[in-house]
Amino acid sequence: MAFNFVAAFLIPWIAGIYLVKKDVRLFLLIAPFAAFVAVIFDVLGFHFGFWQIDPEYETEAIAAMPMYFGIYPILAGYLFLTVQRLRFHPLVVILFFSLITTIIEGTGVWIDLVHYANGWTIYWTFVSYLVAYVVCYGYYLLLKKYVPL
């Protein structure tokens, strides 16, 4: 669990300091929703037996907690900072961040921290991150409509 904490929470938050300093308002609006989406996707994946994360606990989501509050909200914050600042088409940015997040999880599979089952593959992982980021983008568009960003 110490590895999960360092790799999925501490290191992302160190990288996230720049993000928070650059646009704290955006981060505070996006991060909680991104964490919520991550929890929903992971709980469904655990429930259907698509993946497991080491160390194993009776409540499987405990091992993923550092990710819910670390890497996922930080990456989502950087995604939307990139959308705002770089003028790339949002779909290109979402595809890029989906790929980066998939590579990070693929590293977890490679080091035997994440285990797939029931037909789940790294390709489905990419699709799940793509869908999750698209859901977050929909939330971002809703925010832009009602909240000055």
Side-chain angles (χ1 to χ4, degrees), residues 56-79:
E56 290 185 39
Y57 291 96
E58 188 174 317
T59 305
E60 293 164 328
I62 289 174
M65 281 227 177
M67 293 159 226
Y68 301 151
F69 302 110
I71 197 163
Y72 297 139
I74 297 295
L75 282 174
Y78 274 112
L79 182 146

Side-chain angles (χ1 to χ4, degrees), residues 100-119:
I100 294 301
T101 312
T102 301
I103 289 169
I104 292 168
E105 183 165 318
T107 303
V109 171
W110 182 61
I111 65 172
D112 212 27
L113 181 68
V114 178
H115 310 278
Y116 293 154
N118 292 337

Side-chain angles (χ1 to χ4, degrees), residues 6-113:
V6 170
F9 184 81
L10 190 60
I11 292 171
W13 269 101
I14 291 169
I17 290 170
Y18 172 80
L19 169 67
V20 172
K21 285 183 176 184
K22 200 72 173 158
D23 197 339
V24 70
R25 180 185 188 94
L26 175 68
F27 179 76
L28 290 174
L29 291 168
I30 292 296
F33 187 78
F36 170 75
V37 170
V39 168
I40 296 299
F41 273 69
D42 261 11
V43 167
L44 287 171
F46 290 136
H47 175 74
F48 290 111
F50 290 136
W51 57 77
Q52 291 180 342
I53 299 173
D54 285 341
E56 290 185 39
Y57 291 96
E58 188 174 317
T59 305
E60 293 164 328
I62 289 174
M65 281 227 177
M67 293 159 226
Y68 301 151
F69 302 110
I71 197 163
Y72 297 139
I74 297 295
L75 282 174
Y78 274 112
L79 182 146
F80 294 108
L81 187 67
T82 303
V83 165
Q84 283 185 339
R85 306 277 162 97
L86 291 186
R87 306 291 178 228
F88 285 108
H89 192 279
L91 181 58
V92 171
V93 178
I94 291 169
L95 285 168
F96 176 75
F97 273 81
S98 299
L99 179 63
I100 294 301
T101 312
T102 301
I103 289 169
I104 292 168
E105 183 165 318
T107 303
V109 171
W110 182 61
I111 65 172
D112 212 27
L113 181 68

Side-chain angles (χ1 to χ4, degrees), residues 123-140:
Y123 305 108
W124 285 117
T125 295
F126 175 80
V127 171
S128 74
Y129 285 128
L130 180 64
V131 170
Y133 282 136
V134 167
V135 168
C136 288
Y137 183 68
Y139 177 70
Y140 171 78

